[in-house]
Amino acid sequence: MTLSSIDLRKKIVQITLEKKKLTSVAARVGIVLDISGSMQPLYRNGTVQEVVERILAVASKFDDNGMLDVWVYDTHFSRLPSVSEKDFDQYVQRKILDNNNIHKFGRNNEPPVMEDVIRKYTVEEEEEEATPVFIIFINDGGVVKPIKKVITSAAVQPIFWQFVGIGHSDFEVLKQLDTMEGRIVDNANFIHLDDIAAVSDELLYDQLLNEFPSWLEAAKAKRIVRPN
């Protein structure tokens, strides 16, 4: 029997976790997908579905129940059903493109969806000992400047924001995330991938998980997340 693509990717994630000394870490994993107008070709050609599958492999290794939480946003946002290995096939087509209740292909506005992410993990599902949350935020450019205020105020929460810029925008605001002052810990990182579909799984996972370990240590030291 041949290994499925998700099983192969989980093996690559495992290697990455070993390299970054993250094998003992349990974390919730979520993905926020830009669904503004410029993203339409990537939804139609299967790139976004592939991104969901690739990130699901990370959730499968980090999260006890193997679930990947999902949001999409343009000027509005939708919190979607979480996806697992059992139901990821055609997830984007079934749950996003075919769903007429989702506002899609408009302009972008990040703070409302970010506030909903924070609400889910810190209000609705608050735990006595905070489990770390790893959010992968896919955007193709032009984020609004007020995201800085959201990220700064969220630094006390057990949430790490890994922004992934795709395409050819300049990502001026996202490039400033690492040098933003006024936070108890550095809770956000940005990587830029011109063509995410052309990036190998090995490189993608290595870059996605590059700053999460240092945030985790800083967050433990400040008691933002539970120590091991």
Side-chain angles (χ1 to χ4, degrees), residues 31-36 39 43 48 52 69-81 91-92 95-97 99 101-105 107 109-110 112-114 116-117 137-138:
I31 188 168
V32 180
L33 296 163
D34 183 346
I35 197 165
S36 59
M39 287 286 292
Y43 278 87
V48 174
V52 169
D69 300 323
V70 185
W71 286 261
V72 294
Y73 80 96
D74 55 4
T75 44
H76 299 64
F77 71 86
S78 296
R79 190 194 298 184
L80 301 180
Y91 178 89
V92 168
K95 299 296 185 182
I96 301 174
L97 295 178
N99 186 345
N101 294 321
I102 291 177
H103 199 275
K104 41 181 100 74
F105 308 131
R107 297 195 323 199
N109 184 29
E110 288 76 23
V113 70
M114 295 174 72
D116 192 61
V117 169
F137 200 112
I138 308 290

Side-chain angles (χ1 to χ4, degrees), residues 59 75 82 102 136 163 195 202:
T75 44
S82 300
I102 291 177
I136 293 142
F163 288 86
D195 181 3
E202 289 86 352

